[in-house]
Amino acid sequence: MSRTINCIVIHCSASANGRQLGSPTKSAAAVIDIWHAQRGFKRQPAALTQLNPHLPAIGYHFVLDTDGSKHTGRGIAEVGAHAQGFNAQSIGICLVGTSRFTRAQWDALHSLVKALKAQYPAARVVGHRDLSPDKDGDGTVEPGEWLKTCPGFNVADWLQGGLKPLVGSLQE
C-alpha cells in the first residue's frame, strides 16, 4: 500500500526533558505504545503483520529517544494516529521529552528529516502545534490558537536555522 505524503509532523512525548524513555527491556516506542493503547489507539491487523507486531497501538512512525536512538513504530505506508485530520497524508516523528532535547536527538532528527525530505521532497515539515486552526483568520497560527504546544520548539525556526539545535531547546 502506498500513500501520498505531504506533511512530516514533529511531536514531543510530553515526558521529562533529558530522561530516556526506553530501558534495556523496553524501547521508547514500546513505552509510547502502552500510552497509546490506554488512549484507545489501534493499528490495523494487516499492518501488524508487516512491521512491529509487538506495537499494536503506537500512533507515530518514528520515536527518537534521548540517546539519539531511532525506533520505528508504524510503517511509512501505514496511516498514523498522531495529528487528527492530517494522519492520512503525513508521517509522525516523536522526540522524547517536552521542550529541551539532547544533541543526539537533534542530530537524529536532522538525519531523519533530511532522509524523509529526500524521499518526499514536496512534504512540508511542521510541528504538531502548527496544525492548529487559525481561529482569527489572519493567516498565522499564534500561540493562543495552539491546540497543543508540542513539540516545544518552533519547527520553522529550526528549519530556517539549518536544522541545528535551537538555543534554549538543547538539553545539556
Side-chain angles (χ1 to χ4, degrees):
M1 157 165 66
S2 106
R3 31 183 214 122
T4 299
I5 302 299
N6 63 21
C7 197
I8 298 165
V9 185
I10 301 173
H11 301 264
C12 67
S13 65
S15 57
N17 288 325
R19 183 172 298 151
Q20 192 162 355
L21 198 54
S23 70
T25 59
K26 194 174 288 183
S27 71
V31 172
I32 291 173
D33 183 73
I34 292 167
W35 297 348
H36 285 184
Q38 291 168 347
R39 292 179 57 196
F41 292 16
K42 290 181 183 168
R43 294 176 60 205
Q44 295 297 313
L48 290 170
T49 66
Q50 301 296 310
L51 180 71
N52 294 331
H54 62 288
L55 301 175
I58 193 162
Y60 302 117
H61 296 91
F62 299 97
V63 177
L64 304 178
D65 209 342
T66 58
D67 63 356
S69 58
K70 177 180 80 174
H71 305 274
T72 58
R74 294 187 181 210
I76 295 291
E78 184 179 357
V79 173
H82 58 89
Q84 190 173 17
F86 297 89
N87 290 320
Q89 296 184 320
S90 68
I91 295 170
I93 302 170
C94 181
L95 291 161
V96 170
T98 299
S99 59
R100 292 181 19 237
F101 307 97
T102 65
R103 174 145 327 261
Q105 283 176 291
W106 285 110
D107 291 347
L109 182 62
H110 178 147
S111 175
L112 179 56
V113 167
K114 186 176 176 182
L116 290 171
K117 281 293 288 177
Q119 192 171 357
Y120 306 100
R124 63 188 179 121
V125 180
V126 299
H128 189 190
R129 67 189 189 183
D130 301 321
L131 299 176
S132 300
D134 179 14
K135 294 177 184 174
D136 62 11
D138 70 354
T140 303
V141 178
E142 293 124 351
E145 298 171 312
W146 293 342
L147 298 177
K148 304 253 182 180
T149 57
C150 168
F153 66 93
N154 187 320
V155 172
D157 289 348
W158 176 68
L159 294 168
Q160 198 168 35
L163 287 70
K164 293 182 173 62
L166 292 173
V167 174
S169 296
L170 182 61
Q171 177 72 39
E172 297 293 342

